[in-house]
Amino acid sequence: MTDKSLTHKQALAAVIQALGGTWDTKRAVLALRVAGYEPTSDEAAGKEARHNLRELAEDGLIVRPDPDQAVYQLA
């Protein structure tokens, strides 16, 4: 049996579904680090977190209640 690691997006989705609440870049960075993501810099960590949050929003898992703020919640 082979263990297959989750992608960053899958790991973030699992944490968001488990914890709920609101999600911004800072919280997503923390969740990704707990899931094992080791960014080269804080800038890289933020970029990866924002990318994954946008993708999860496109997939319909999360929504931005206020389009003027980059804060998401479960759909």
Side-chain angles (χ1 to χ4, degrees):
M1 181 180 205
T2 312
D3 286 336
K4 186 174 181 184
S5 297
L6 296 176
T7 65
H8 297 150
K9 178 181 165 183
Q10 291 169 328
L12 184 58
V15 173
I16 290 173
Q17 288 175 314
L19 299 178
T22 58
W23 289 83
D24 59 8
T25 301
K26 185 176 178 179
R27 190 172 183 200
V29 165
L30 178 59
L32 287 170
R33 285 188 169 147
V34 168
Y37 172 55
E38 297 179 19
T40 56
S41 67
D42 287 342
E43 183 179 338
K47 185 175 181 178
E48 180 70 11
R50 287 187 299 276
H51 171 76
N52 285 291
L53 286 169
R54 284 192 300 270
E55 283 195 351
L56 291 172
E58 288 173 11
D59 293 348
L61 178 72
I62 56 177
V63 295
R64 282 175 64 177
D66 183 348
D68 294 329
Q69 294 184 13
V71 176
Y72 298 84
Q73 64 187 30
L74 282 171

Short mmCIF file of all heavy atoms in Angstrom, two decimals:
data_model
loop_
_atom_site.label_atom_id
_atom_site.label_comp_id
_atom_site.label_asym_id
_atom_site.label_seq_id
_atom_site.Cartn_x
_atom_site.Cartn_y
_atom_site.Cartn_z
N MET A 1 0.85 -1.18 0.00
CA MET A 1 0.00 0.00 0.00
C MET A 1 0.89 1.24 0.00
O MET A 1 1.85 1.32 0.74
CB MET A 1 -0.90 -0.04 1.22
CG MET A 1 -1.83 1.10 1.32
SD MET A 1 -2.82 0.89 2.82
CE MET A 1 -4.22 1.81 2.40
N THR A 2 0.54 2.20 -0.82
CA THR A 2 1.32 3.41 -0.94
C THR A 2 0.59 4.57 -0.28
O THR A 2 -0.59 4.78 -0.53
CB THR A 2 1.54 3.76 -2.43
OG1 THR A 2 1.99 2.59 -3.11
CG2 THR A 2 2.56 4.85 -2.58
N ASP A 3 1.30 5.32 0.55
CA ASP A 3 0.72 6.53 1.13
C ASP A 3 0.86 7.65 0.14
O ASP A 3 1.96 7.93 -0.33
CB ASP A 3 1.43 6.92 2.43
CG ASP A 3 1.07 6.01 3.58
OD1 ASP A 3 -0.03 5.41 3.52
OD2 ASP A 3 1.86 5.89 4.52
N LYS A 4 -0.24 8.28 -0.20
CA LYS A 4 -0.20 9.40 -1.13
C LYS A 4 -0.47 10.67 -0.35
O LYS A 4 -1.51 10.79 0.30
CB LYS A 4 -1.24 9.20 -2.23
CG LYS A 4 -1.16 10.25 -3.31
CD LYS A 4 -2.08 9.97 -4.46
CE LYS A 4 -1.92 11.05 -5.49
NZ LYS A 4 -2.86 10.89 -6.59
N SER A 5 0.46 11.60 -0.42
CA SER A 5 0.31 12.86 0.30
C SER A 5 -0.78 13.71 -0.35
O SER A 5 -1.00 13.66 -1.56
CB SER A 5 1.62 13.65 0.27
OG SER A 5 2.61 12.93 0.94
N LEU A 6 -1.45 14.47 0.49
CA LEU A 6 -2.44 15.42 -0.02
C LEU A 6 -1.74 16.60 -0.67
O LEU A 6 -0.65 16.99 -0.24
CB LEU A 6 -3.30 15.94 1.13
CG LEU A 6 -4.18 14.94 1.87
CD1 LEU A 6 -4.89 15.63 3.03
CD2 LEU A 6 -5.19 14.30 0.95
N THR A 7 -2.37 17.18 -1.67
CA THR A 7 -1.86 18.43 -2.21
C THR A 7 -2.12 19.52 -1.19
O THR A 7 -2.90 19.34 -0.25
CB THR A 7 -2.57 18.79 -3.53
OG1 THR A 7 -3.96 19.05 -3.25
CG2 THR A 7 -2.43 17.69 -4.57
N HIS A 8 -1.48 20.65 -1.38
CA HIS A 8 -1.73 21.78 -0.46
C HIS A 8 -3.21 22.15 -0.47
O HIS A 8 -3.80 22.42 0.57
CB HIS A 8 -0.88 22.99 -0.85
CG HIS A 8 0.57 22.74 -0.75
ND1 HIS A 8 1.48 23.37 -1.55
CD2 HIS A 8 1.31 21.92 0.04
CE1 HIS A 8 2.69 22.97 -1.25
NE2 HIS A 8 2.61 22.08 -0.29
N LYS A 9 -3.79 22.15 -1.65
CA LYS A 9 -5.20 22.51 -1.78
C LYS A 9 -6.08 21.51 -1.02
O LYS A 9 -7.00 21.91 -0.30
CB LYS A 9 -5.58 22.54 -3.26
CG LYS A 9 -7.03 22.86 -3.54
CD LYS A 9 -7.27 22.84 -5.03
CE LYS A 9 -8.73 22.79 -5.38
NZ LYS A 9 -8.95 22.70 -6.83
N GLN A 10 -5.81 20.22 -1.16
CA GLN A 10 -6.60 19.20 -0.48
C GLN A 10 -6.43 19.31 1.03
O GLN A 10 -7.41 19.17 1.78
CB GLN A 10 -6.18 17.81 -0.95
CG GLN A 10 -6.56 17.50 -2.38
CD GLN A 10 -5.90 16.22 -2.89
OE1 GLN A 10 -4.78 15.89 -2.48
NE2 GLN A 10 -6.58 15.54 -3.78
N ALA A 11 -5.21 19.55 1.47
CA ALA A 11 -4.96 19.67 2.91
C ALA A 11 -5.69 20.88 3.48
O ALA A 11 -6.32 20.79 4.54
CB ALA A 11 -3.46 19.79 3.16
N LEU A 12 -5.63 22.00 2.77
CA LEU A 12 -6.31 23.21 3.23
C LEU A 12 -7.82 23.00 3.24
O LEU A 12 -8.50 23.39 4.19
CB LEU A 12 -5.93 24.41 2.37
CG LEU A 12 -6.49 25.76 2.81
CD1 LEU A 12 -6.08 26.09 4.24
CD2 LEU A 12 -6.03 26.85 1.86
N ALA A 13 -8.36 22.34 2.22
CA ALA A 13 -9.80 22.07 2.16
C ALA A 13 -10.23 21.23 3.35
O ALA A 13 -11.27 21.50 3.98
CB ALA A 13 -10.16 21.38 0.85
N ALA A 14 -9.45 20.22 3.69
CA ALA A 14 -9.80 19.35 4.81
C ALA A 14 -9.82 20.12 6.13
O ALA A 14 -10.72 19.94 6.95
CB ALA A 14 -8.81 18.19 4.89
N VAL A 15 -8.85 21.00 6.32
CA VAL A 15 -8.79 21.78 7.56
C VAL A 15 -9.95 22.77 7.62
O VAL A 15 -10.59 22.92 8.66
CB VAL A 15 -7.43 22.51 7.68
CG1 VAL A 15 -7.43 23.46 8.86
CG2 VAL A 15 -6.30 21.51 7.79
N ILE A 16 -10.24 23.43 6.51
CA ILE A 16 -11.35 24.38 6.48
C ILE A 16 -12.66 23.68 6.80
O ILE A 16 -13.47 24.17 7.58
CB ILE A 16 -11.41 25.11 5.12
CG1 ILE A 16 -10.23 26.07 4.99
CG2 ILE A 16 -12.74 25.85 4.96
CD1 ILE A 16 -10.09 26.71 3.61
N GLN A 17 -12.87 22.50 6.21
CA GLN A 17 -14.10 21.76 6.47
C GLN A 17 -14.18 21.30 7.92
O GLN A 17 -15.25 21.30 8.52
CB GLN A 17 -14.21 20.56 5.53
CG GLN A 17 -14.51 20.98 4.10
CD GLN A 17 -14.49 19.81 3.14
OE1 GLN A 17 -13.59 18.98 3.17
NE2 GLN A 17 -15.49 19.75 2.29
N ALA A 18 -13.05 20.93 8.49
CA ALA A 18 -13.04 20.45 9.87
C ALA A 18 -13.26 21.57 10.88
O ALA A 18 -13.97 21.40 11.87
CB ALA A 18 -11.72 19.74 10.17
N LEU A 19 -12.65 22.73 10.63
CA LEU A 19 -12.69 23.82 11.61
C LEU A 19 -13.76 24.86 11.35
O LEU A 19 -14.20 25.55 12.27
CB LEU A 19 -11.32 24.50 11.68
CG LEU A 19 -10.16 23.62 12.12
CD1 LEU A 19 -8.86 24.41 12.11
CD2 LEU A 19 -10.42 23.02 13.49
N GLY A 20 -14.13 25.05 10.08
CA GLY A 20 -15.12 26.08 9.74
C GLY A 20 -14.60 27.47 10.06
O GLY A 20 -13.39 27.71 10.11
N GLY A 21 -15.50 28.39 10.27
CA GLY A 21 -15.12 29.76 10.60
C GLY A 21 -14.69 30.56 9.38
O GLY A 21 -14.98 30.19 8.25
N THR A 22 -14.02 31.66 9.64
CA THR A 22 -13.55 32.51 8.56
C THR A 22 -12.08 32.24 8.29
O THR A 22 -11.32 31.91 9.20
CB THR A 22 -13.76 34.00 8.88
OG1 THR A 22 -13.08 34.32 10.09
CG2 THR A 22 -15.23 34.34 9.02
N TRP A 23 -11.68 32.42 7.04
CA TRP A 23 -10.33 32.11 6.60
C TRP A 23 -9.74 33.27 5.82
O TRP A 23 -10.31 33.72 4.84
CB TRP A 23 -10.34 30.84 5.75
CG TRP A 23 -10.62 29.66 6.59
CD1 TRP A 23 -11.85 29.21 7.00
CD2 TRP A 23 -9.67 28.84 7.24
NE1 TRP A 23 -11.71 28.15 7.85
CE2 TRP A 23 -10.38 27.90 8.00
CE3 TRP A 23 -8.29 28.81 7.24
CZ2 TRP A 23 -9.73 26.93 8.77
CZ3 TRP A 23 -7.65 27.83 7.98
CH2 TRP A 23 -8.38 26.90 8.74
N ASP A 24 -8.59 33.74 6.29
CA ASP A 24 -7.84 34.75 5.56
C ASP A 24 -6.46 34.15 5.26
O ASP A 24 -6.18 32.99 5.57
CB ASP A 24 -7.73 36.05 6.36
CG ASP A 24 -7.05 35.86 7.72
OD1 ASP A 24 -6.52 34.77 8.01
OD2 ASP A 24 -7.05 36.83 8.50
N THR A 25 -5.60 34.93 4.64
CA THR A 25 -4.28 34.44 4.25
C THR A 25 -3.50 33.94 5.46
O THR A 25 -2.90 32.86 5.42
CB THR A 25 -3.49 35.54 3.52
OG1 THR A 25 -4.22 35.93 2.36
CG2 THR A 25 -2.12 35.06 3.10
N LYS A 26 -3.51 34.68 6.53
CA LYS A 26 -2.72 34.32 7.72
C LYS A 26 -3.15 32.97 8.28
O LYS A 26 -2.31 32.12 8.60
CB LYS A 26 -2.86 35.42 8.78
CG LYS A 26 -2.00 35.21 9.99
CD LYS A 26 -2.13 36.40 10.93
CE LYS A 26 -1.28 36.18 12.19
NZ LYS A 26 -1.38 37.32 13.09
N ARG A 27 -4.45 32.75 8.40
CA ARG A 27 -4.94 31.48 8.93
C ARG A 27 -4.65 30.33 7.97
O ARG A 27 -4.31 29.23 8.39
CB ARG A 27 -6.44 31.58 9.22
CG ARG A 27 -6.97 30.39 9.99
CD ARG A 27 -8.40 30.60 10.42
NE ARG A 27 -8.85 29.46 11.22
CZ ARG A 27 -10.11 29.15 11.41
NH1 ARG A 27 -11.07 29.91 10.91
NH2 ARG A 27 -10.44 28.10 12.13
N ALA A 28 -4.76 30.58 6.67
CA ALA A 28 -4.48 29.55 5.67
C ALA A 28 -3.00 29.18 5.68
O ALA A 28 -2.64 28.01 5.54
CB ALA A 28 -4.91 30.03 4.29
N VAL A 29 -2.11 30.17 5.85
CA VAL A 29 -0.68 29.89 5.94
C VAL A 29 -0.40 28.98 7.13
O VAL A 29 0.34 27.99 7.01
CB VAL A 29 0.14 31.21 6.06
CG1 VAL A 29 1.57 30.93 6.52
CG2 VAL A 29 0.14 31.96 4.74
N LEU A 30 -0.99 29.27 8.26
CA LEU A 30 -0.79 28.45 9.45
C LEU A 30 -1.28 27.02 9.21
O LEU A 30 -0.58 26.05 9.54
CB LEU A 30 -1.51 29.06 10.65
CG LEU A 30 -1.42 28.27 11.95
CD1 LEU A 30 0.03 28.09 12.39
CD2 LEU A 30 -2.21 28.97 13.04
N ALA A 31 -2.44 26.88 8.60
CA ALA A 31 -2.98 25.54 8.32
C ALA A 31 -2.08 24.77 7.37
O ALA A 31 -1.84 23.57 7.56
CB ALA A 31 -4.39 25.66 7.73
N LEU A 32 -1.55 25.44 6.36
CA LEU A 32 -0.65 24.77 5.42
C LEU A 32 0.64 24.34 6.11
O LEU A 32 1.17 23.26 5.84
CB LEU A 32 -0.34 25.68 4.22
CG LEU A 32 -1.49 25.85 3.23
CD1 LEU A 32 -1.17 26.95 2.22
CD2 LEU A 32 -1.78 24.55 2.52
N ARG A 33 1.16 25.18 6.98
CA ARG A 33 2.39 24.82 7.70
C ARG A 33 2.16 23.62 8.61
O ARG A 33 3.00 22.72 8.69
CB ARG A 33 2.92 26.01 8.48
CG ARG A 33 3.58 27.03 7.58
CD ARG A 33 4.26 28.13 8.34
NE ARG A 33 5.08 28.92 7.43
CZ ARG A 33 5.29 30.20 7.56
NH1 ARG A 33 4.76 30.87 8.57
NH2 ARG A 33 6.03 30.85 6.69
N VAL A 34 1.02 23.57 9.27
CA VAL A 34 0.69 22.43 10.12
C VAL A 34 0.57 21.16 9.27
O VAL A 34 0.93 20.07 9.71
CB VAL A 34 -0.61 22.70 10.92
CG1 VAL A 34 -1.12 21.44 11.58
CG2 VAL A 34 -0.38 23.79 11.95
N ALA A 35 0.10 21.32 8.03
CA ALA A 35 -0.05 20.18 7.13
C ALA A 35 1.27 19.75 6.50
O ALA A 35 1.31 18.79 5.74
CB ALA A 35 -1.06 20.52 6.03
N GLY A 36 2.36 20.48 6.80
CA GLY A 36 3.66 20.06 6.32
C GLY A 36 4.29 20.92 5.25
O GLY A 36 5.40 20.64 4.80
N TYR A 37 3.61 21.98 4.81
CA TYR A 37 4.17 22.86 3.80
C TYR A 37 5.28 23.70 4.42
O TYR A 37 5.06 24.37 5.43
CB TYR A 37 3.08 23.75 3.21
CG TYR A 37 3.57 24.83 2.28
CD1 TYR A 37 4.36 24.52 1.18
CD2 TYR A 37 3.24 26.15 2.50
CE1 TYR A 37 4.81 25.52 0.32
CE2 TYR A 37 3.67 27.16 1.64
CZ TYR A 37 4.45 26.83 0.56
OH TYR A 37 4.90 27.82 -0.29
N GLU A 38 6.46 23.65 3.82
CA GLU A 38 7.60 24.41 4.32
C GLU A 38 8.02 25.43 3.26
O GLU A 38 8.83 25.14 2.39
CB GLU A 38 8.75 23.46 4.65
CG GLU A 38 8.41 22.49 5.76
CD GLU A 38 9.54 21.54 6.08
OE1 GLU A 38 10.69 21.82 5.72
OE2 GLU A 38 9.24 20.51 6.69
N PRO A 39 7.46 26.63 3.33
CA PRO A 39 7.75 27.64 2.32
C PRO A 39 9.19 28.17 2.45
O PRO A 39 9.80 28.11 3.51
CB PRO A 39 6.75 28.75 2.63
CG PRO A 39 6.48 28.60 4.10
CD PRO A 39 6.56 27.13 4.37
N THR A 40 9.68 28.71 1.35
CA THR A 40 11.02 29.29 1.35
C THR A 40 11.04 30.66 2.02
O THR A 40 12.09 31.11 2.44
CB THR A 40 11.56 29.42 -0.08
OG1 THR A 40 10.63 30.19 -0.86
CG2 THR A 40 11.71 28.05 -0.73
N SER A 41 9.88 31.32 2.08
CA SER A 41 9.79 32.63 2.72
C SER A 41 8.34 32.90 3.13
O SER A 41 7.43 32.19 2.70
CB SER A 41 10.25 33.72 1.73
OG SER A 41 9.33 33.82 0.65
N ASP A 42 8.15 33.94 3.92
CA ASP A 42 6.79 34.34 4.29
C ASP A 42 6.00 34.77 3.06
O ASP A 42 4.80 34.52 2.96
CB ASP A 42 6.82 35.47 5.32
CG ASP A 42 7.26 34.99 6.70
OD1 ASP A 42 7.21 33.76 6.95
OD2 ASP A 42 7.66 35.84 7.52
N GLU A 43 6.69 35.41 2.12
CA GLU A 43 6.03 35.84 0.88
C GLU A 43 5.53 34.63 0.09
O GLU A 43 4.40 34.62 -0.40
CB GLU A 43 7.00 36.65 0.03
CG GLU A 43 6.37 37.21 -1.24
CD GLU A 43 7.35 38.04 -2.05
OE1 GLU A 43 8.35 38.53 -1.51
OE2 GLU A 43 7.10 38.19 -3.26
N ALA A 44 6.35 33.60 -0.02
CA ALA A 44 5.96 32.38 -0.73
C ALA A 44 4.80 31.69 -0.02
O ALA A 44 3.88 31.17 -0.67
CB ALA A 44 7.14 31.42 -0.84
N ALA A 45 4.81 31.70 1.30
CA ALA A 45 3.73 31.09 2.07
C ALA A 45 2.41 31.80 1.82
O ALA A 45 1.37 31.17 1.60
CB ALA A 45 4.07 31.11 3.56
N GLY A 46 2.44 33.12 1.82
CA GLY A 46 1.23 33.91 1.56
C GLY A 46 0.71 33.70 0.15
O GLY A 46 -0.49 33.57 -0.06
N LYS A 47 1.62 33.65 -0.80
CA LYS A 47 1.22 33.45 -2.20
C LYS A 47 0.55 32.09 -2.37
O LYS A 47 -0.49 31.99 -3.03
CB LYS A 47 2.45 33.55 -3.10
CG LYS A 47 2.14 33.48 -4.57
CD LYS A 47 3.39 33.71 -5.40
CE LYS A 47 3.05 33.66 -6.87
NZ LYS A 47 4.22 33.93 -7.71
N GLU A 48 1.12 31.05 -1.80
CA GLU A 48 0.54 29.70 -1.89
C GLU A 48 -0.83 29.65 -1.20
O GLU A 48 -1.78 29.07 -1.74
CB GLU A 48 1.49 28.68 -1.26
CG GLU A 48 0.99 27.27 -1.31
CD GLU A 48 0.97 26.64 -2.68
OE1 GLU A 48 1.55 27.22 -3.63
OE2 GLU A 48 0.37 25.57 -2.83
N ALA A 49 -0.94 30.28 -0.05
CA ALA A 49 -2.21 30.29 0.67
C ALA A 49 -3.29 31.01 -0.13
O ALA A 49 -4.41 30.49 -0.27
CB ALA A 49 -2.04 30.95 2.03
N ARG A 50 -2.97 32.18 -0.66
CA ARG A 50 -3.95 32.93 -1.45
C ARG A 50 -4.38 32.15 -2.69
O ARG A 50 -5.57 32.11 -3.04
CB ARG A 50 -3.40 34.30 -1.83
CG ARG A 50 -3.34 35.27 -0.66
CD ARG A 50 -2.95 36.68 -1.08
NE ARG A 50 -1.63 36.73 -1.70
CZ ARG A 50 -0.48 36.82 -1.04
NH1 ARG A 50 -0.49 36.83 0.29
NH2 ARG A 50 0.67 36.88 -1.67
N HIS A 51 -3.41 31.52 -3.34
CA HIS A 51 -3.70 30.72 -4.54
C HIS A 51 -4.69 29.60 -4.20
O HIS A 51 -5.68 29.40 -4.91
CB HIS A 51 -2.38 30.14 -5.10
CG HIS A 51 -2.57 29.14 -6.18
ND1 HIS A 51 -2.91 29.49 -7.46
CD2 HIS A 51 -2.50 27.79 -6.16
CE1 HIS A 51 -3.03 28.40 -8.19
NE2 HIS A 51 -2.78 27.35 -7.42
N ASN A 52 -4.43 28.90 -3.12
CA ASN A 52 -5.30 27.79 -2.73
C ASN A 52 -6.68 28.27 -2.28
O ASN A 52 -7.68 27.63 -2.59
CB ASN A 52 -4.63 26.93 -1.66
CG ASN A 52 -3.55 26.07 -2.25
OD1 ASN A 52 -3.81 25.15 -3.00
ND2 ASN A 52 -2.30 26.38 -1.93
N LEU A 53 -6.74 29.39 -1.59
CA LEU A 53 -8.03 29.93 -1.19
C LEU A 53 -8.85 30.30 -2.43
O LEU A 53 -10.06 30.00 -2.49
CB LEU A 53 -7.85 31.16 -0.29
CG LEU A 53 -7.39 30.88 1.14
CD1 LEU A 53 -6.99 32.18 1.83
CD2 LEU A 53 -8.47 30.16 1.92
N ARG A 54 -8.22 30.94 -3.42
CA ARG A 54 -8.94 31.29 -4.65
C ARG A 54 -9.44 30.04 -5.37
O ARG A 54 -10.57 30.01 -5.87
CB ARG A 54 -8.05 32.12 -5.58
CG ARG A 54 -7.89 33.56 -5.14
CD ARG A 54 -7.25 34.41 -6.22
NE ARG A 54 -5.93 33.93 -6.58
CZ ARG A 54 -4.78 34.30 -6.00
NH1 ARG A 54 -4.80 35.19 -5.03
NH2 ARG A 54 -3.63 33.81 -6.41
N GLU A 55 -8.61 29.00 -5.43
CA GLU A 55 -9.02 27.76 -6.10
C GLU A 55 -10.19 27.10 -5.37
O GLU A 55 -11.12 26.59 -6.00
CB GLU A 55 -7.85 26.79 -6.22
CG GLU A 55 -6.89 27.16 -7.32
CD GLU A 55 -5.95 26.02 -7.67
OE1 GLU A 55 -5.92 24.99 -6.97
OE2 GLU A 55 -5.23 26.18 -8.67
N LEU A 56 -10.15 27.08 -4.06
CA LEU A 56 -11.25 26.49 -3.29
C LEU A 56 -12.53 27.30 -3.48
O LEU A 56 -13.62 26.72 -3.49
CB LEU A 56 -10.87 26.38 -1.81
CG LEU A 56 -9.77 25.35 -1.51
CD1 LEU A 56 -9.34 25.45 -0.06
CD2 LEU A 56 -10.23 23.95 -1.85
N ALA A 57 -12.41 28.60 -3.64
CA ALA A 57 -13.58 29.44 -3.92
C ALA A 57 -14.13 29.12 -5.32
O ALA A 57 -15.35 29.02 -5.51
CB ALA A 57 -13.23 30.91 -3.80
N GLU A 58 -13.24 28.95 -6.29
CA GLU A 58 -13.67 28.58 -7.64
C GLU A 58 -14.37 27.23 -7.65
O GLU A 58 -15.31 27.01 -8.42
CB GLU A 58 -12.48 28.55 -8.60
CG GLU A 58 -11.93 29.91 -8.94
CD GLU A 58 -10.65 29.85 -9.76
OE1 GLU A 58 -10.28 28.76 -10.24
OE2 GLU A 58 -10.02 30.91 -9.92
N ASP A 59 -13.92 26.32 -6.79
CA ASP A 59 -14.53 24.99 -6.68
C ASP A 59 -15.85 25.02 -5.93
O ASP A 59 -16.57 24.02 -5.91
CB ASP A 59 -13.58 24.02 -5.96
CG ASP A 59 -12.33 23.71 -6.77
OD1 ASP A 59 -12.27 24.04 -7.97
OD2 ASP A 59 -11.39 23.13 -6.18
N GLY A 60 -16.16 26.13 -5.27
CA GLY A 60 -17.43 26.27 -4.56
C GLY A 60 -17.40 25.82 -3.11
O GLY A 60 -18.44 25.80 -2.46
N LEU A 61 -16.23 25.46 -2.59
CA LEU A 61 -16.14 25.03 -1.20
C LEU A 61 -16.29 26.21 -0.23
O LEU A 61 -16.92 26.09 0.81
CB LEU A 61 -14.82 24.32 -0.93
CG LEU A 61 -14.60 23.87 0.51
CD1 LEU A 61 -15.51 22.70 0.84
CD2 LEU A 61 -13.15 23.50 0.77
N ILE A 62 -15.69 27.34 -0.61
CA ILE A 62 -15.73 28.55 0.23
C ILE A 62 -16.21 29.73 -0.60
O ILE A 62 -16.18 29.68 -1.83
CB ILE A 62 -14.35 28.85 0.87
CG1 ILE A 62 -13.27 28.99 -0.20
CG2 ILE A 62 -13.99 27.79 1.89
CD1 ILE A 62 -11.88 29.36 0.33
N VAL A 63 -16.65 30.76 0.09
CA VAL A 63 -17.12 31.98 -0.57
C VAL A 63 -16.54 33.20 0.13
O VAL A 63 -16.15 33.13 1.30
CB VAL A 63 -18.67 32.09 -0.57
CG1 VAL A 63 -19.28 30.99 -1.40
CG2 VAL A 63 -19.22 32.06 0.84
N ARG A 64 -16.50 34.31 -0.61
CA ARG A 64 -16.11 35.60 -0.02
C ARG A 64 -17.38 36.41 0.18
O ARG A 64 -17.93 36.97 -0.75
CB ARG A 64 -15.20 36.37 -0.99
CG ARG A 64 -13.78 35.88 -0.99
CD ARG A 64 -12.94 36.56 -2.03
NE ARG A 64 -12.79 37.99 -1.79
CZ ARG A 64 -12.05 38.78 -2.55
NH1 ARG A 64 -11.42 38.30 -3.60
NH2 ARG A 64 -11.95 40.05 -2.27
N PRO A 65 -17.86 36.49 1.43
CA PRO A 65 -19.10 37.24 1.67
C PRO A 65 -18.98 38.72 1.30
O PRO A 65 -19.96 39.32 0.85
CB PRO A 65 -19.34 37.08 3.17
CG PRO A 65 -18.44 36.00 3.63
CD PRO A 65 -17.34 35.89 2.64
N ASP A 66 -17.81 39.29 1.49
CA ASP A 66 -17.57 40.69 1.14
C ASP A 66 -16.49 40.74 0.05
O ASP A 66 -15.34 40.43 0.33
CB ASP A 66 -17.10 41.46 2.38
CG ASP A 66 -16.90 42.94 2.12
OD1 ASP A 66 -16.90 43.36 0.93
OD2 ASP A 66 -16.73 43.69 3.09
N PRO A 67 -16.86 41.10 -1.17
CA PRO A 67 -15.89 41.10 -2.26
C PRO A 67 -14.73 42.08 -2.07
O PRO A 67 -13.71 41.99 -2.75
CB PRO A 67 -16.71 41.46 -3.49
CG PRO A 67 -17.97 42.05 -2.98
CD PRO A 67 -18.18 41.54 -1.60
N ASP A 68 -14.86 43.00 -1.12
CA ASP A 68 -13.79 43.96 -0.85
C ASP A 68 -12.77 43.44 0.16
O ASP A 68 -11.78 44.12 0.43
CB ASP A 68 -14.38 45.29 -0.36
CG ASP A 68 -15.20 45.98 -1.43
OD1 ASP A 68 -14.88 45.81 -2.62
OD2 ASP A 68 -16.17 46.67 -1.07
N GLN A 69 -13.02 42.27 0.74
CA GLN A 69 -12.10 41.68 1.72
C GLN A 69 -11.73 40.27 1.30
O GLN A 69 -12.57 39.52 0.82
CB GLN A 69 -12.75 41.63 3.11
CG GLN A 69 -13.03 42.98 3.70
CD GLN A 69 -13.58 42.84 5.11
OE1 GLN A 69 -13.52 41.78 5.73
NE2 GLN A 69 -14.12 43.93 5.64
N ALA A 70 -10.49 39.90 1.49
CA ALA A 70 -10.02 38.55 1.17
C ALA A 70 -10.22 37.64 2.36
O ALA A 70 -9.28 37.07 2.91
CB ALA A 70 -8.56 38.59 0.73
N VAL A 71 -11.47 37.51 2.77
CA VAL A 71 -11.84 36.65 3.89
C VAL A 71 -12.92 35.69 3.36
O VAL A 71 -13.87 36.13 2.72
CB VAL A 71 -12.38 37.46 5.08
CG1 VAL A 71 -12.85 36.55 6.19
CG2 VAL A 71 -11.31 38.42 5.58
N TYR A 72 -12.72 34.42 3.63
CA TYR A 72 -13.59 33.38 3.09
C TYR A 72 -14.28 32.63 4.24
O TYR A 72 -13.82 32.64 5.37
CB TYR A 72 -12.77 32.36 2.28
CG TYR A 72 -12.08 32.95 1.09
CD1 TYR A 72 -10.84 33.58 1.22
CD2 TYR A 72 -12.63 32.87 -0.18
CE1 TYR A 72 -10.19 34.11 0.12
CE2 TYR A 72 -11.99 33.39 -1.29
CZ TYR A 72 -10.77 34.01 -1.13
OH TYR A 72 -10.12 34.53 -2.23
N GLN A 73 -15.38 31.96 3.88
CA GLN A 73 -16.05 31.07 4.81
C GLN A 73 -16.65 29.92 4.00
O GLN A 73 -16.77 30.01 2.77
CB GLN A 73 -17.14 31.80 5.60
CG GLN A 73 -18.28 32.33 4.75
CD GLN A 73 -19.23 33.18 5.56
OE1 GLN A 73 -18.84 33.84 6.53
NE2 GLN A 73 -20.49 33.19 5.17
N LEU A 74 -17.05 28.85 4.68
CA LEU A 74 -17.67 27.72 3.98
C LEU A 74 -18.89 28.17 3.22
O LEU A 74 -19.65 29.03 3.69
CB LEU A 74 -18.04 26.62 4.98
CG LEU A 74 -16.91 25.74 5.46
CD1 LEU A 74 -17.37 24.85 6.61
CD2 LEU A 74 -16.34 24.91 4.34
N ALA A 75 -19.07 27.59 2.06
CA ALA A 75 -20.23 27.94 1.21
C ALA A 75 -21.50 27.35 1.79
O ALA A 75 -21.50 26.42 2.52
CB ALA A 75 -20.00 27.41 -0.19
#
